[in-house]
């Protein structure tokens, strides 16, 4: 009687263990199947292609005599709706302000121009500015009426001017003149002479003409 009861108990225990083991394995398999079925394969992502265009700003006529290390670098990165332009300058007098213009021609008489941003040199004669706008092959101005009228005109060049006309005069950048030269290239239309430009590109094919979205 005792022997039969013990045997029956052992059978029931083994059966329960077996069912539990099968259930556990089945659950694991089911979980793995669900996880596998729900996973979305991801292909290796290719590195984003950069369409940035970089170029140098070169010293304007006569500037090397007073600022022999003056120069600049520009990078334009096109976006879906507009572009990002970063301008950096070096070799400038310490703690000096400058004004950047987008211009039709890199040198005099400059043509159509519009004021873009200030660029300030710090204690080491370096500085930078980053701006957003249209700085590519589509950059143009037009006046269909009013005080001035002109057809659509592209501006593909950049020019940088001394904000204070006294600065280049004191530095000896204007030999032979008795007073600082005043130009309209800042917000008050009372700036100094041009210090950097993009005359390293053809007049009608400035660097902005090489950028497209």
């Amino acid at each position: 009687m005792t022997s039969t009861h013990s045997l029956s108990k052992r059978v029931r225990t083994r059966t329960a263990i077996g069912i539990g083991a099968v259930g556990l394995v089945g659950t694991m398999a089911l979980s793995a199947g669900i996880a596998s079925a729900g996973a979305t394969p991801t292909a290796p992502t290719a590195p984003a292609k950069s369409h940035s265009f970089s170029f140098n700003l070169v010293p304007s006529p006569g500037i090397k005599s007073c600022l022999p290390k003056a120069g600049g670098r520009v990078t334009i990165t096109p976006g879906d709706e507009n572009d990002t332009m970063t301008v950096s300058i070096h070799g400038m007098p310490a703690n000096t302000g400058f004004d950047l213009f987008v211009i039709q021609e890199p040198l005099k008489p400059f043509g159509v121009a519009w004021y873009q941003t200030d660029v300030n040199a710090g204690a080491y004669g370096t500085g930078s500015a980053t701006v957003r706008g249209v700085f590519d092959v589509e950059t143009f101005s037009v006046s269909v009426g009013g005080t001035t009228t002109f057809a659509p005109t592209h501006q593909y060049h950049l020019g940088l001017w001394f904000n204070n006309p006294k600065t280049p005069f004191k530095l000896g950048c204007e030999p032979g003149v008795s007073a600082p030269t005043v130009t309209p290239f800042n917000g008050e239309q009372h700036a100094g002479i041009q210090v950097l430009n993009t005359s390293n590109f053809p007049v009608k094919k400035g660097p902005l003409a090489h950028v497209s979205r």
Side-chain angles (χ1 to χ4, degrees), residues 1-194:
M1 188 75 173
T2 303
S3 176
T4 303
H5 177 73
S6 299
L7 177 61
S8 176
K9 183 177 180 180
R10 287 197 298 273
V11 170
R12 288 199 305 271
T13 302
R14 289 173 183 170
T15 302
I17 292 173
I19 292 174
V22 171
L24 178 60
V25 172
T27 301
M28 292 175 62
L30 180 59
S31 299
I34 291 173
S36 178
T40 302
T42 54
T45 303
K49 294 182 178 179
S50 173
H51 295 90
S52 296
F53 181 66
S54 297
F55 53 91
N56 291 330
L57 295 173
V58 299
S60 301
I63 293 299
K64 281 190 175 181
S65 63
C66 59
L67 294 172
K69 296 183 179 181
R73 184 75 172 169
V74 179
T75 297
I76 299 175
T77 303
D80 291 336
E81 298 178 349
N82 48 53
D83 314 306
T84 300
M85 178 168 67
T86 298
V87 180
S88 62
I89 57 175
H90 60 266
M92 299 298 183
N95 304 313
T96 302
F98 299 90
D99 302 274
L100 183 74
F101 277 71
V102 180
I103 52 182
Q104 183 182 356
E105 299 178 10
L107 301 172
K108 292 181 179 179
F110 307 119
V112 178
W114 53 279
Y115 186 19
Q116 178 55 52
T117 185
D118 293 350
V119 185
N120 296 312
Y124 298 100
T126 61
S128 65
T130 298
V131 291
R132 293 188 68 88
V134 178
F135 310 112
D136 55 44
V137 70
E138 296 183 358
T139 300
F140 79 99
S141 296
V142 63
S143 178
V144 296
T147 57
T148 302
T149 301
F150 58 87
T153 304
H154 288 284
Q155 292 92 62
Y156 290 151
H157 285 275
L158 300 176
L160 189 75
W161 275 261
F162 286 96
N163 182 65
N164 188 336
K166 294 180 180 179
T167 302
F169 181 75
K170 291 179 178 179
L171 289 171
C173 299
E174 302 176 82
V177 301
S178 58
T181 300
V182 177
T183 70
F185 292 95
N186 68 4
E188 294 77 31
Q189 292 82 58
H190 193 267
I193 61 174
Q194 190 192 68

